[in-house]
Amino acid sequence: MKFSCDKKTLADAVAGVSRAVVPSAAVPVLQGILLKAEGFKLQLTGYDLEMAITTEIEVNVQEPGEIVLPAKLLNDMLRSLAGEELTLFSNQEMMTHIKSGITEYDLMGMSPADFPELPVPNAEKAFEIDAAELASMIEMTKYAVSTDDKKPALTGELFSIMPGELTVVAVDGFRLAITKHPIVSDTEIDIVVPAKTVAEVSRLLGTIGGPVQVDANRRYVVFSGGNYTIMSRLIEGEFLNYRNVLPEGHKTRVLVDVTPFEKTIERCSIIISERLRNPLRLTFKPDGIDVKCETPVGRVSDHVEAEIDGEEMEIGFNYRYLLDALRFSGCDRVILELSGPLSPVKILPVEGDEFIFMVLPVRFNNE
């Protein structure tokens, strides 16, 4: 195999597909990227047996062929080359020569025959969505994905695909994040996409511009946009019926500016640590929100103005969970709906229904 191409284009492609490579994989070939050159194209593939990332770039192919090269070494070499153009040549013994400017590298490759064959997903088109909109939905919800392997289904995001609407849901048992967006679709299917996959979809496809096509069945999902295709196995198991856990109605409604609220929480959380995880004590009063906290190292009190309608109420919160919900809302102002001191709190946009965030309260030690 022999080809020449723009160095930066190849380096970016290698970095992209490397996201599906496990550097510490027990099988050496899984630490590599499959390169296949033919015609005027170079196809690159990374695969960790659960997720595959594939892309194509334009190159000048002098000799077609394919080889597997160690992802980390190849990535480091390409980033170190000083020239703008490079030539890559692999012989029959898998020795690969890379040259750009005055710099030359020799790198031992692996046989493409040993690279695992990608599954054929046979997934059908589910919908198309603007890449930026899909990335936004993922970024707004991924903070609430569970990391508890005892509940595998919750370690991914639910994509609930309905005719005309996509709903993305993440939940970890302490907080819930839901966002939805209109789509053109005749499909009705619920799939749970692994957290790693949705993170790479957001990272690689979020800035490409244009549409992303999503194909799905009960076992696989395929995201295609720009020059990238991301294929992933789905997580099996029952996802939480999130509709049943959303509280209906409320006793208190709070309208608050996000930035001042965030800064108040940050100031009051200074005395909280991993060892001293006392909750923040928020009191919702007619003149605003009093925020207090007390730990063995000290105490703090603060206040943020808010428009409050309903009963006065005191609720304890894990400050990180509350901050995450505020930050990922992307709003200047939000609405909090409170049903009681021990009931989940809903965080909503002031206008529309783009998202619903829910945070569980924390009991105080004396309760």
Side-chain angles (χ1 to χ4, degrees):
M1 179 178 72
K2 184 178 182 180
F3 65 84
S4 57
C5 68
D6 177 72
K7 183 206 71 174
K8 185 179 185 305
T9 301
L10 179 58
D12 290 345
V14 168
V17 300
S18 292
R19 308 295 303 184
V21 175
V22 181
S24 58
V27 181
V29 76
L30 292 179
Q31 300 178 27
I33 295 171
L34 175 64
L35 284 73
K36 183 177 181 179
E38 60 181 356
F40 295 94
K41 299 286 186 181
L42 176 70
Q43 184 183 76
L44 302 92
T45 302
Y47 184 36
D48 65 2
L49 301 182
E50 296 292 330
M51 177 181 70
I53 301 177
T54 302
T55 190
E56 280 189 349
I57 62 172
E58 292 186 2
V59 300
N60 181 15
V61 178
Q62 286 91 48
E63 296 178 18
E66 52 186 331
I67 193 170
V68 178
L69 296 177
K72 186 178 185 308
L73 275 176
L74 180 59
N75 197 20
D76 291 344
M77 289 176 178
L78 293 176
R79 294 296 180 188
S80 299
L81 291 171
E84 295 183 359
E85 297 287 324
L86 68 78
T87 299
L88 187 149
F89 169 71
S90 295
N91 62 25
Q92 294 183 346
E93 286 72 39
M94 304 299 165
M95 181 58 70
T96 300
H97 184 77
I98 303 171
K99 181 179 180 180
S100 179
I102 60 173
T103 307
E104 300 182 39
Y105 285 114
D106 285 316
L107 176 63
M108 180 57 70
M110 293 168 277
S111 171
D114 296 331
F115 197 81
E117 187 174 349
L118 270 60
V120 179
N122 292 322
E124 298 181 355
K125 180 178 178 179
F127 64 94
E128 274 192 358
I129 187 172
D130 180 76
E133 292 290 350
L134 178 59
S136 176
M137 296 180 77
I138 292 171
E139 291 301 313
M140 287 181 71
T141 53
K142 70 179 185 180
Y143 75 91
V145 173
S146 175
T147 57
D148 184 359
D149 292 333
K150 295 178 182 178
K151 298 179 179 179
L154 302 187
T155 62
E157 293 207 53
L158 173 69
F159 279 54
S160 183
I161 304 163
M162 301 286 289
E165 186 173 77
L166 168 67
T167 302
V168 177
V169 185
V171 59
D172 66 1
F174 303 99
R175 53 208 172 155
L176 171 71
I178 304 169
T179 184
K180 56 186 179 179
H181 191 273
I183 56 172
V184 177
S185 174
D186 297 323
T187 303
E188 185 171 339
I189 186 173
D190 286 353
I191 59 175
V192 183
V193 185
K196 179 180 178 181
T197 301
V198 294
E200 298 312 325
V201 168
S202 178
R203 187 194 311 270
L204 292 176
L205 304 184
T207 59
I208 61 170
V212 172
Q213 179 174 316
V214 182
D215 304 336
N217 56 25
R218 296 296 177 185
R219 296 188 62 196
Y220 293 98
V221 63
V222 181
F223 298 88
S224 304
N227 292 328
Y228 281 98
T229 298
I230 301 174
M231 179 185 68
S232 174
R233 294 183 187 273
L234 298 173
I235 299 176
E236 299 180 1
E238 196 71 24
F239 198 84
L240 176 74
N241 188 338
Y242 65 93
R243 297 179 181 88
N244 289 348
V245 302
L246 290 172
E248 295 184 4
H250 59 274
K251 295 180 180 179
T252 304
R253 184 178 185 272
V254 180
L255 176 62
V256 63
D257 291 331
V258 169
T259 299
F261 196 16
E262 286 181 349
K263 290 182 178 179
T264 301
I265 294 170
E266 290 169 350
R267 287 194 296 267
C268 292
S269 64
I270 288 175
I271 63 172
I272 301 174
S273 66
E274 288 300 313
R275 188 173 60 87
L276 306 171
R277 298 185 182 182
N278 296 32
L280 289 182
R281 187 183 295 263
L282 274 64
T283 305
F284 298 88
K285 303 164 62 176
D287 65 338
I289 307 170
D290 288 342
V291 183
K292 298 181 180 180
C293 186
E294 184 172 350
T295 73
V297 301
R299 67 178 67 180
V300 61
S301 63
D302 210 325
H303 179 85
V304 61
E305 293 183 355
E307 298 177 25
I308 299 179
D309 181 26
E311 299 179 12
E312 183 172 321
M313 201 173 297
E314 185 178 72
I315 305 178
F317 287 100
N318 178 312
Y319 82 94
R320 292 185 185 276
Y321 294 166
L322 192 54
L323 271 182
D324 282 345
L326 294 172
R327 287 169 177 167
F328 286 100
S329 72
C331 297
D332 294 328
R333 309 181 85 193
V334 293
I335 292 170
L336 279 66
E337 291 186 349
L338 319 176
S339 299
L342 299 178
S343 298
V345 174
K346 288 198 293 186
I347 300 174
L348 309 167
V350 175
E351 296 181 358
D353 57 356
E354 181 184 3
F355 67 84
I356 301 175
F357 295 161
M358 191 174 76
V359 180
L360 289 182
V362 178
R363 289 178 179 269
F364 299 119
N365 291 333
N366 58 354
E367 294 180 339

